[in-house]
Amino acid sequence: WLLCSVLSAKSVRAPREVQRKWLKTTILGACAVLAGPLLWSSLGGDDGVTEVLAHRGEILPGRFIEVPCSEDYDSHRRFEGCSPRKCGRGITDTVITRDEAQRIRSIAEKGLSLGGSDGGASILDLHSGALSVGKHFVNLYRYFGDKIQTVFSEEDFQLYRDVRRKVQLTIAQAFGISASSLYLTKPTFFSRINSTQARTAHDEYWHAHVDKVTYGSFDYTSLLYLSDYLDDFGGGRFVFVEEGANKTVEPRAGRVSFFTSGSENLHRVEKVHWGTRYAVTIAFTCNPDHGIADPVFT
């Protein structure tokens, strides 16, 4: 993303060149996923016609809509038995409990209490350590050092890993692939969005985008919502942008929304008008070269 690409060494402090590169790449990816290219910004306005795929009051054991795959995957290396041949989008409210969602949200709240963007969108990436602070990012682990062990616990990280595994199994089952062929990929991160005016381009999370285009490693994208639409925040619905009528998912704590990452699932997030919206984006790739490890509490 335009402004994310000019991050200085001052704003991203890492002990080694490899770690600096990883952190910067994660930030760029998260910016792309949150902001999306302006190419799509004119599509799918808040006042457009929408059909609701999942209402906030519903408790869905599972809803899956198959859509034709785009050609985006053809320009990337294919992995038989994993790379999308069946494309679509799914929603479930029975994989992650509301209690688990509340506990996961507390991890985000604790981490983001150390910083936070001056604009409306903040990110926390436990893998690379990327944390929004003002108009920039820092490496959480390097910048705060041993203080981190007083903020998080091993139980926090274990819960995060357990939730990731449940989401991974859900995606594998829905698309008829082996969970072992899916690899966690970056950026995977918490997001906190409120109605504060955007200060930089990476605060502009509401532009429509395609994950496979903006970040090529993505094959399957998921979001775990950690707060409730109309109870905790207004606006902020997830929108699949389509001709005729957009398809909308209303967040509720514990709801998992997942989809193949190509142009068949062009999407955006409505602007948050009030309150605070929490979610965690968890992305998977079929390419082991693009895989990342779970975060480890040390």
Side-chain angles (χ1 to χ4, degrees):
W1 186 251
L2 183 60
L3 291 189
C4 296
S5 64
V6 297
L7 290 170
S8 66
K10 200 172 184 179
S11 66
V12 181
R13 305 181 184 193
R16 296 181 301 276
E17 182 62 31
V18 172
Q19 189 172 359
R20 282 199 298 271
K21 183 177 180 181
W22 184 30
L23 176 60
K24 185 173 180 180
T25 301
T26 300
I27 292 168
L28 294 177
C31 291
V33 172
L34 279 174
L38 285 169
L39 172 64
W40 304 105
S41 63
S42 62
L43 298 175
D46 286 349
D47 57 352
V49 178
T50 61
E51 297 176 2
V52 179
L53 290 181
H55 290 271
R56 70 186 185 105
E58 291 182 282
I59 301 177
L60 298 173
R63 178 170 291 167
F64 185 83
I65 300 94
E66 188 168 354
V67 298
C69 290
S70 66
E71 298 178 355
D72 296 338
Y73 309 99
D74 296 339
S75 59
H76 295 267
R77 182 181 172 190
R78 281 194 169 272
F79 292 83
E80 198 59 39
C82 180
S83 295
R85 298 286 186 185
K86 170 186 175 182
C87 293
R89 55 194 70 152
I91 307 105
T92 178
D93 295 312
T94 58
V95 171
I96 307 300
T97 68
R98 286 179 70 84
D99 176 67
E100 286 174 319
Q102 182 177 11
R103 290 159 57 204
I104 283 283
R105 173 172 164 170
S106 74
I107 299 173
E109 290 173 332
K110 288 187 291 188
L112 286 163
S113 71
L114 299 173
S117 169
D118 287 344
S122 300
I123 71 163
L124 166 66
D125 185 330
L126 292 180
H127 301 267
S128 70
L131 172 69
S132 300
V133 176
K135 293 183 176 64
H136 306 288
F137 296 88
V138 299
N139 183 314
L140 179 74
Y141 305 116
R142 181 67 172 173
Y143 194 80
F144 294 100
D146 292 341
K147 182 181 178 181
I148 292 302
Q149 298 191 33
T150 68
V151 176
F152 301 118
S153 67
E154 172 56 37
E155 289 73 21
D156 290 335
F157 278 64
Q158 185 58 53
L159 175 63
Y160 182 88
R161 292 189 291 266
D162 290 344
V163 166
R164 187 272 303 163
R165 280 192 285 269
K166 289 182 180 180
V167 172
Q168 183 171 350
L169 288 170
T170 300
I171 291 173
Q173 183 177 19
F175 289 99
I177 59 179
S178 170
S180 62
S181 67
L182 289 174
Y183 300 88
L184 197 65
T185 193
K186 59 179 180 286
T188 284
F189 59 95
F190 291 100
S191 60
R192 183 186 70 191
I193 304 175
N194 58 39
S195 59
T196 303
Q197 183 178 354
R199 306 297 182 192
T200 65
H202 56 258
D203 294 322
E204 297 183 14
Y205 56 84
W206 54 82
H207 300 299
H209 63 278
V210 174
D211 290 345
K212 192 68 178 172
V213 174
T214 58
Y215 209 82
S217 64
F218 281 30
D219 289 306
Y220 300 91
T221 306
S222 71
L223 293 112
L224 167 59
Y225 297 108
L226 306 177
S227 50
D228 295 319
Y229 173 62
L230 295 186
D231 287 335
D232 298 313
F233 62 92
R237 295 180 301 174
F238 185 95
V239 181
F240 290 106
V241 180
E242 296 186 354
E243 292 185 12
N246 294 335
K247 307 298 191 297
T248 303
V249 176
E250 298 179 348
R252 70 187 308 271
R255 172 166 286 171
V256 178
S257 175
F258 58 92
F259 48 92
T260 45
S261 304
S263 299
E264 69 277 359
N265 283 313
L266 171 67
H267 60 274
R268 63 189 294 274
V269 173
E270 294 175 331
K271 289 183 181 181
V272 171
H273 301 304
W274 58 266
T276 305
R277 178 190 191 270
Y278 284 92
V280 55
T281 297
I282 307 173
F284 296 94
T285 183
C286 296
N287 188 341
D289 293 340
H290 293 153
I292 60 172
D294 283 317
V296 178
F297 182 74
T298 55

